[in-house]
Amino acid sequence: MMILQIGGNVRNIRKIKGFSIDEIRELTGLSKSTISDLENDKSNPTIETLNRLSQALSIDIIELFKKELNDTEPCNAVSNSIKLENKDNFIELISRDNTNDEDIERIALFYIIAENEDLYSNVEGIYNFEKHGITPYIALSENGRYDFHGSSRSLLKIAYNLYDGYPADILGTLYNLDENDYRIALNAINIRLRGNGIEI
């Protein structure tokens, strides 16, 4: 599987900011080999690793994804205030779950579900409102009732990862998203890691 290659961005930003690999290692707690592998696109970093790097470099995590995908620069679609395309869907989900403003994990999850029609129309297989939790093994099963394909399936993996650290190759998963779902994923990452607000 091909992955998005962000190593060049990490290396360039690090050099522009005047940091050595050793200084980034000290700031992030990551090993020198982890940072080197990431800069040379030899690893698939977790969201947490990317978050540590972006904090050490004093940049928005989205800056790490500035390479083009499908001849667009998706980073332009992300801002500090995130606009909902499907506001009614989002309000219904957070109301139904009684999600409070500080529950960033659920807000990121419900943002993704609300913005993707395929996921929203099958929300009962993704989230259990009675138990207030996700149901990943049903939603992601190959033979399951709620078997998503393509971009929706990849977006759901990112949603689960942001919610509870569900194992996902983040860069490989982002690569499999269509342009709209890529924008949704980057916005959700910003919601989850930076607490960026949603315009309602």
Side-chain angles (χ1 to χ4, degrees), residues 28 89 131 163 198:
T28 62
N89 294 356
K131 294 182 179 179
Y163 181 77
I198 297 176

Side-chain angles (χ1 to χ4, degrees), residues 96-142:
R96 204 169 153 196
D97 190 61
N98 293 321
T99 304
N100 68 51
D101 292 344
E102 295 173 13
D103 193 344
I104 302 300
E105 291 87 358
R106 278 188 178 78
I107 290 172
L109 174 75
F110 290 145
Y111 170 79
I112 287 175
I113 294 170
E115 293 293 278
N116 178 286
E117 220 25 72
D118 191 21
L119 300 181
Y120 178 74
S121 64
N122 292 291
V123 69
E124 300 301 329
I126 297 170
Y127 190 83
N128 185 324
F129 288 95
E130 288 178 21
K131 294 182 179 179
H132 301 285
I134 58 173
T135 54
Y137 299 107
I138 295 172
L140 291 177
S141 92
E142 291 293 334

Side-chain angles (χ1 to χ4, degrees), residues 10 55 119 154 166 173 176:
V10 174
Q55 288 180 342
L119 300 181
S154 294
Y166 177 87
T173 305
N176 289 320

Side-chain angles (χ1 to χ4, degrees), residues 2 4 9-10 17 29 48 50 56 59-60 71 74 86 96 99 101 111 119 122 125 129 136 139-141 152 183 194:
M2 187 174 177
L4 285 176
N9 283 349
V10 174
K17 297 242 178 198
E48 178 55 34
L50 295 175
I59 59 168
D60 193 308
D71 300 323
N86 295 293
R96 204 169 153 196
T99 304
D101 292 344
Y111 170 79
L119 300 181
N122 292 291
F129 288 95
L140 291 177
S141 92
S152 294
R183 176 192 57 80
R194 299 289 191 260

Side-chain angles (χ1 to χ4, degrees), residues 158-178:
I158 290 171
Y160 285 157
N161 182 274
L162 294 176
Y163 181 77
D164 73 350
Y166 177 87
D169 164 9
I170 293 300
L171 297 181
T173 305
L174 283 169
Y175 182 81
N176 289 320
L177 298 175
D178 64 31

Side-chain angles (χ1 to χ4, degrees), residues 39 47 91 98-99 181:
E39 287 191 357
I47 287 290
I91 291 171
N98 293 321
T99 304
D181 286 345

